[in-house]
Amino acid sequence: EFWGMRTNGQIFPKEVRLYRGHYFGQDALISIGFDITDRVRLADALRLSNDYFRTIFDSINDAIFIHDGVTGQILDVNKRTCEMYGFAREDLLREDFQQATQMQEPYSKKQADQWLKKARDEGPQVFEWLAKHRSGELFWVEVSIRYSVIAGAGRYIVTVRNIAERKQSEAALRFKTEEVDRFFEMALDLLCIADFNGYFRRVSSEWSRALGY
């Protein structure tokens, strides 16, 4: 590619192709020039569009995987994915990433592929999954899978949210609930929980023994 100049002095990009040939019976090097202004403008616009997409893609706080709609291969990931799993982007795009993070059923690659197929055949899927960091640490995530056709090609858009803190809170709440249950069952006093309208919401078993019902 070279730069050319129009008669008005305007500079424009051009593509030059060289061919060996004959001119009036003599060997010659023939050059043909093409004005590629529109092609360069389109490439610049596409590059700006890609930069804009990448900026937004990498600013999202959830991990995002883009999978091929036929093979299931990972085609792209955002910055948050790298942070969440502890891998560089290049590593995430390799097949061995899926092998390195694979676990036993029901969190195996086979099971993950079934979820992808289900999203394609039945619609968007949301489920919890036990993921693995590069260090080997396990953590809970919520996975959302949507199948879409982008630029004529099938793609799986997989969004992953770390829910480790939520799972810890749920476990703590469950423990507290079980603790309250044991307290009510073992209490020798008449215990109750009532709402602001005066209705009992919970009573200890001593109430049954005391009242006879």
Short mmCIF file of all heavy atoms in Angstrom, two decimals, residues 184 187-194 200 202-213:
data_model
loop_
_atom_site.label_atom_id
_atom_site.label_comp_id
_atom_site.label_asym_id
_atom_site.label_seq_id
_atom_site.Cartn_x
_atom_site.Cartn_y
_atom_site.Cartn_z
N PHE A 184 -35.84 -24.02 70.39
CA PHE A 184 -37.28 -24.12 70.64
C PHE A 184 -37.68 -25.53 71.06
O PHE A 184 -38.57 -25.72 71.89
CB PHE A 184 -38.05 -23.70 69.38
CG PHE A 184 -38.48 -22.27 69.39
CD1 PHE A 184 -37.56 -21.24 69.17
CD2 PHE A 184 -39.80 -21.92 69.63
CE1 PHE A 184 -37.95 -19.92 69.18
CE2 PHE A 184 -40.20 -20.60 69.64
CZ PHE A 184 -39.27 -19.59 69.42
N ALA A 187 -36.32 -26.13 74.75
CA ALA A 187 -36.72 -25.19 75.80
C ALA A 187 -37.79 -25.79 76.72
O ALA A 187 -38.73 -26.45 76.27
CB ALA A 187 -37.23 -23.89 75.17
N LEU A 188 -37.66 -25.53 78.02
CA LEU A 188 -38.65 -26.00 79.00
C LEU A 188 -39.64 -24.89 79.32
O LEU A 188 -40.62 -25.13 80.05
CB LEU A 188 -37.94 -26.45 80.27
CG LEU A 188 -36.97 -27.62 80.09
CD1 LEU A 188 -36.30 -27.94 81.43
CD2 LEU A 188 -37.68 -28.85 79.54
N ASP A 189 -39.39 -23.72 78.81
CA ASP A 189 -40.30 -22.60 79.03
C ASP A 189 -41.26 -22.45 77.87
O ASP A 189 -41.10 -23.05 76.80
CB ASP A 189 -39.50 -21.30 79.20
CG ASP A 189 -38.59 -21.34 80.43
OD1 ASP A 189 -39.04 -21.90 81.45
OD2 ASP A 189 -37.45 -20.84 80.33
N LEU A 190 -42.27 -21.62 78.07
CA LEU A 190 -43.24 -21.34 77.01
C LEU A 190 -42.67 -20.21 76.14
O LEU A 190 -42.76 -19.03 76.49
CB LEU A 190 -44.59 -20.94 77.60
CG LEU A 190 -45.25 -21.98 78.50
CD1 LEU A 190 -46.55 -21.43 79.09
CD2 LEU A 190 -45.53 -23.25 77.73
N LEU A 191 -42.09 -20.57 75.04
CA LEU A 191 -41.50 -19.59 74.12
C LEU A 191 -42.38 -19.39 72.91
O LEU A 191 -43.02 -20.33 72.42
CB LEU A 191 -40.11 -20.06 73.65
CG LEU A 191 -39.05 -20.30 74.74
CD1 LEU A 191 -37.76 -20.76 74.08
CD2 LEU A 191 -38.82 -19.03 75.55
N CYS A 192 -42.42 -18.17 72.42
CA CYS A 192 -43.20 -17.91 71.22
C CYS A 192 -42.61 -16.73 70.44
O CYS A 192 -41.88 -15.91 71.00
CB CYS A 192 -44.67 -17.62 71.56
SG CYS A 192 -44.90 -16.04 72.42
N ILE A 193 -42.94 -16.70 69.17
CA ILE A 193 -42.60 -15.56 68.31
C ILE A 193 -43.91 -15.07 67.71
O ILE A 193 -44.64 -15.83 67.08
CB ILE A 193 -41.61 -15.97 67.19
CG1 ILE A 193 -40.29 -16.44 67.79
CG2 ILE A 193 -41.37 -14.80 66.24
CD1 ILE A 193 -39.29 -16.92 66.76
N ALA A 194 -44.21 -13.79 67.93
CA ALA A 194 -45.47 -13.22 67.45
C ALA A 194 -45.18 -12.03 66.56
O ALA A 194 -44.15 -11.35 66.70
CB ALA A 194 -46.34 -12.82 68.62
N PHE A 200 -49.37 -15.58 66.64
CA PHE A 200 -48.19 -16.41 66.87
C PHE A 200 -47.63 -16.91 65.55
O PHE A 200 -48.38 -17.43 64.72
CB PHE A 200 -48.53 -17.61 67.77
CG PHE A 200 -48.77 -17.26 69.21
CD1 PHE A 200 -49.75 -17.93 69.95
CD2 PHE A 200 -48.02 -16.28 69.83
CE1 PHE A 200 -49.97 -17.61 71.28
CE2 PHE A 200 -48.23 -15.97 71.17
CZ PHE A 200 -49.21 -16.63 71.89
N ARG A 202 -44.57 -18.69 65.80
CA ARG A 202 -43.84 -19.88 66.23
C ARG A 202 -44.00 -20.05 67.73
O ARG A 202 -43.97 -19.08 68.49
CB ARG A 202 -42.36 -19.73 65.87
CG ARG A 202 -41.52 -20.90 66.31
CD ARG A 202 -40.54 -21.26 65.28
NE ARG A 202 -39.91 -22.51 65.53
CZ ARG A 202 -38.78 -22.88 64.96
NH1 ARG A 202 -38.16 -22.04 64.15
NH2 ARG A 202 -38.28 -24.05 65.20
N VAL A 203 -44.14 -21.30 68.17
CA VAL A 203 -44.24 -21.60 69.60
C VAL A 203 -43.39 -22.82 69.89
O VAL A 203 -43.16 -23.67 69.02
CB VAL A 203 -45.70 -21.86 70.03
CG1 VAL A 203 -46.55 -20.62 69.86
CG2 VAL A 203 -46.28 -23.04 69.29
N SER A 204 -42.92 -22.92 71.12
CA SER A 204 -42.15 -24.09 71.53
C SER A 204 -43.09 -25.24 71.84
O SER A 204 -44.30 -25.06 72.04
CB SER A 204 -41.30 -23.76 72.77
OG SER A 204 -42.13 -23.45 73.87
N SER A 205 -42.52 -26.44 71.88
CA SER A 205 -43.34 -27.63 72.11
C SER A 205 -43.97 -27.64 73.49
O SER A 205 -44.95 -28.35 73.74
CB SER A 205 -42.48 -28.90 71.92
OG SER A 205 -41.34 -28.85 72.77
N GLU A 206 -43.44 -26.85 74.44
CA GLU A 206 -44.01 -26.80 75.79
C GLU A 206 -45.42 -26.26 75.79
O GLU A 206 -46.21 -26.56 76.67
CB GLU A 206 -43.13 -25.94 76.70
CG GLU A 206 -41.86 -26.64 77.19
CD GLU A 206 -42.23 -27.85 78.03
OE1 GLU A 206 -43.02 -27.74 78.98
OE2 GLU A 206 -41.68 -28.94 77.72
N TRP A 207 -45.77 -25.43 74.76
CA TRP A 207 -47.12 -24.91 74.68
C TRP A 207 -48.13 -26.06 74.51
O TRP A 207 -49.22 -26.02 75.10
CB TRP A 207 -47.25 -23.93 73.51
CG TRP A 207 -46.67 -22.58 73.80
CD1 TRP A 207 -45.39 -22.17 73.63
CD2 TRP A 207 -47.38 -21.47 74.33
NE1 TRP A 207 -45.22 -20.85 74.02
CE2 TRP A 207 -46.45 -20.40 74.45
CE3 TRP A 207 -48.71 -21.23 74.75
CZ2 TRP A 207 -46.81 -19.15 74.93
CZ3 TRP A 207 -49.06 -19.99 75.22
CH2 TRP A 207 -48.11 -18.94 75.32
N SER A 208 -47.77 -27.04 73.70
CA SER A 208 -48.68 -28.18 73.47
C SER A 208 -48.90 -28.95 74.75
O SER A 208 -50.02 -29.38 75.07
CB SER A 208 -48.09 -29.10 72.38
OG SER A 208 -47.97 -28.40 71.16
N ARG A 209 -47.81 -29.16 75.48
CA ARG A 209 -47.93 -29.92 76.73
C ARG A 209 -48.71 -29.12 77.78
O ARG A 209 -49.49 -29.66 78.55
CB ARG A 209 -46.54 -30.30 77.25
CG ARG A 209 -45.91 -31.44 76.48
CD ARG A 209 -44.62 -31.92 77.18
NE ARG A 209 -43.51 -31.00 76.94
CZ ARG A 209 -42.69 -31.12 75.90
NH1 ARG A 209 -42.88 -32.09 75.00
NH2 ARG A 209 -41.69 -30.28 75.75
N ALA A 210 -48.49 -27.79 77.80
CA ALA A 210 -49.17 -26.95 78.79
C ALA A 210 -50.64 -26.78 78.51
O ALA A 210 -51.48 -26.79 79.42
CB ALA A 210 -48.47 -25.59 78.87
N LEU A 211 -50.99 -26.63 77.23
CA LEU A 211 -52.38 -26.35 76.85
C LEU A 211 -53.13 -27.60 76.44
O LEU A 211 -54.35 -27.57 76.31
CB LEU A 211 -52.41 -25.32 75.71
CG LEU A 211 -51.78 -23.97 76.04
CD1 LEU A 211 -51.85 -23.04 74.81
CD2 LEU A 211 -52.48 -23.30 77.24
N GLY A 212 -52.39 -28.67 76.17
CA GLY A 212 -53.07 -29.92 75.84
C GLY A 212 -53.42 -30.05 74.36
O GLY A 212 -54.21 -30.94 74.01
N TYR A 213 -52.95 -29.17 73.52
CA TYR A 213 -53.20 -29.32 72.07
C TYR A 213 -52.10 -28.59 71.30
O TYR A 213 -51.29 -27.88 71.88
CB TYR A 213 -54.58 -28.78 71.67
CG TYR A 213 -54.81 -27.31 72.00
CD1 TYR A 213 -54.45 -26.29 71.08
CD2 TYR A 213 -55.41 -26.96 73.20
CE1 TYR A 213 -54.67 -24.96 71.40
CE2 TYR A 213 -55.62 -25.62 73.50
CZ TYR A 213 -55.25 -24.63 72.59
OH TYR A 213 -55.46 -23.31 72.91
#
